[in-house]
Amino acid sequence: MTSRVIVADSVTDPSTGIWFAVPGGFTELPIDVLLASPASAEAERLREALAPLVESIPDGITRQQFIGQLASGQQLLRALREVGTVHCSLGVHRDDVQGDSGAILHSLFTVSWRDIAWAPRSVSAARAVATVEEHAHIEYMDLPSGPASMSETVRTPTPESGLPPTPLLQIYAYLPHPDCKRIAVLMLSTTAVGRREQYREILRQIAELTSFESPLLKT
């Protein structure tokens, strides 16, 4: 079986600043489109794309619940963008690690930029994991793109948040940019805490394929 590689338009965009590849099972959530101004052309295209789906829901209550969930998703994306997130993908995979249960596992992958004080890249990679609280499984890496580090934590929503008290595994990869003034933070979140090793390996593979130079310039 041959692998299919999908190349995004950002490959030829010199302002992108970071290039990466995600494995199968991840679908990009177009942040700019989902958060477009109501009067913009992007918002109109989004309404046209969602209209058949909304109209296909026969029950009015279910339709309102879907719209409410979409609004909640947009609120989450807005919060992510405010902290420098430039990419967001939803991962859907079948759990086939043990047995043949066929359970579906969900995850969220994000890429964010964080401004930092100038320092050698190896120092910035070390600082990134040294300053986080309650993080474990700290690892330093020498990637093709340069020095990096990884860490992870498990958080449980508080009762005040209104969210289900389900533990959330968050795995981070910190990749300092060659300009030494910013750092790319790759994060993979999932409630499948028992699959920590598998999700950590997924994020490590993404980090290894990440580059601060367009892959087209390397050919």
Side-chain angles (χ1 to χ4, degrees), residues 2-214:
T2 58
S3 299
R4 186 167 69 113
V5 178
I6 300 175
V7 180
D9 294 339
S10 61
V11 168
T12 57
D13 184 356
S15 65
T16 297
I18 186 170
W19 289 263
F20 54 91
V22 293
F26 284 91
T27 300
E28 180 180 359
L29 301 178
I31 299 178
D32 291 339
V33 174
L34 290 171
L35 298 181
S37 172
S40 65
E42 290 81 3
E44 180 60 28
R45 286 196 291 269
L46 177 61
R47 284 191 290 269
E48 292 176 355
L50 291 176
L53 177 60
V54 175
E55 294 173 357
S56 67
I57 303 176
D59 183 85
I61 296 178
T62 304
R63 188 182 302 118
Q64 290 301 318
Q65 289 176 339
F66 171 80
I67 295 174
Q69 290 174 349
L70 178 61
S72 297
Q74 289 175 312
Q75 184 177 2
L76 171 62
L77 291 176
R78 190 172 292 107
L80 289 173
R81 189 166 68 175
E82 289 177 354
V83 295
T85 300
V86 294
H87 175 88
C88 183
S89 289
L90 178 65
V92 180
H93 299 90
R94 187 177 299 279
D95 185 3
D96 57 0
V97 174
Q98 295 180 353
D100 190 19
S101 64
I104 300 300
L105 305 179
H106 298 89
S107 59
L108 187 69
F109 170 69
T110 62
V111 177
S112 305
W113 285 111
R114 183 184 302 170
D115 293 331
I116 57 175
W118 190 96
R121 298 172 70 188
S122 58
V123 173
S124 295
R127 283 178 178 173
V129 291
T131 56
V132 292
E133 298 181 0
E134 300 180 359
H135 280 225
H137 301 282
I138 293 174
E139 176 183 357
Y140 299 96
M141 303 179 294
D142 186 13
L143 303 178
S145 62
S149 57
M150 290 185 69
S151 68
E152 62 185 66
T153 185
V154 177
R155 306 180 188 277
T156 302
T158 62
E160 295 77 15
S161 68
L163 299 173
T166 303
L168 178 68
L169 171 66
Q170 295 178 311
I171 308 173
Y172 298 82
Y174 305 92
L175 285 67
H177 190 273
D179 65 11
C180 300
K181 298 179 181 179
R182 53 182 171 158
I183 190 169
V185 182
L186 283 56
M187 183 179 70
L188 188 57
S189 304
T190 179
T191 56
V193 179
R195 296 292 175 261
R196 169 186 279 109
E197 293 183 4
Q198 289 74 29
Y199 277 107
R200 189 179 181 94
E201 182 59 27
I202 288 176
L203 187 60
R204 180 182 288 107
Q205 291 176 3
I206 295 175
E208 290 175 348
L209 293 173
T210 297
S211 173
F212 296 112
E213 181 182 358
S214 171

